[in-house]
């Protein structure tokens, strides 16, 4: 199961997670990031905006900052792995655009995510 990057499409990076209230990637996240790395190497013309999202708990401004720091951590990992940083930008979306309800723990976990917004 590889990651497919298509221009104009968004891809949720399922399995990219962080330590609680931090921008430190968990060890299991690296397996997903290696798949992302393969996809970026195979598609040299692709540029992405890495968007970080949080759930709705806590301070909204801190969530914005945390979501941006998490997106930056993903970019840093990819740059360290050889991807040109000019191909990637980062944005912290905070609690905006939830993909499911924040009313359950499972929903909040799904809303805490990293998405690749593949540029046209």
């Amino acid at each position: 199961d590889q990651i497919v990057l298509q221009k104009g499409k968004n891809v949720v990076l399922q399995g990219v997670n962080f330590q609680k209230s931090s921008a430190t990637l968990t060890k299991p996240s690296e397996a997903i990031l290696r798949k992302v790395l393969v996809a970026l190497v195979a598609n040299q013309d692709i540029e992405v905006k890495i968007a970080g999202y949080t759930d709705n708990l806590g301070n909204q401004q801190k969530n914005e900052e945390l979501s941006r720091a998490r997106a930056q951590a993903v970019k840093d990992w990819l740059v360290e792995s050889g991807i040109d940083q000019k191909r990637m930008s980062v944005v912290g979306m905070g609690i905006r655009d939830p993909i499911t309800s924040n009313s359950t723990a499972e929903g909040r976990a799904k809303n805490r995510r990293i998405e690749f917004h593949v540029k046209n």
Side-chain angles (χ1 to χ4, degrees), residues 41-94:
V41 168
N43 297 280
Q44 293 291 324
D45 61 327
I46 295 260
E47 294 183 10
V48 298
K49 177 166 52 174
I50 303 168
Y53 295 85
T54 63
D55 59 33
N56 67 340
L57 300 181
N59 177 285
Q60 190 165 350
Q61 178 159 356
K62 284 195 168 101
N63 279 341
E64 296 271 334
E65 293 165 6
L66 180 61
S67 63
R68 188 179 196 299
R70 288 176 169 179
Q72 185 66 48
V74 169
K75 179 180 177 180
D76 292 345
W77 190 96
L78 291 165
V79 168
E80 288 168 19
S81 299
I83 300 299
D84 185 346
Q85 66 178 349
K86 293 183 190 117
R87 293 176 60 194
M88 301 174 286
S89 60
V90 298
V91 63
M93 300 296 288

Side-chain angles (χ1 to χ4, degrees), residues 3 8 13 15-16 18 26 33 41-42 53 55 66 73 78-79 84 93 95 100 102 106 112-113:
I3 292 177
L13 300 184
V16 173
F18 301 86
T26 61
L33 291 176
V41 168
Y53 295 85
D55 59 33
L66 180 61
L78 291 165
V79 168
D84 185 346
M93 300 296 288
I95 66 172
T100 190
N102 276 303
E106 295 81 19
R112 293 188 301 267
R113 68 195 187 279

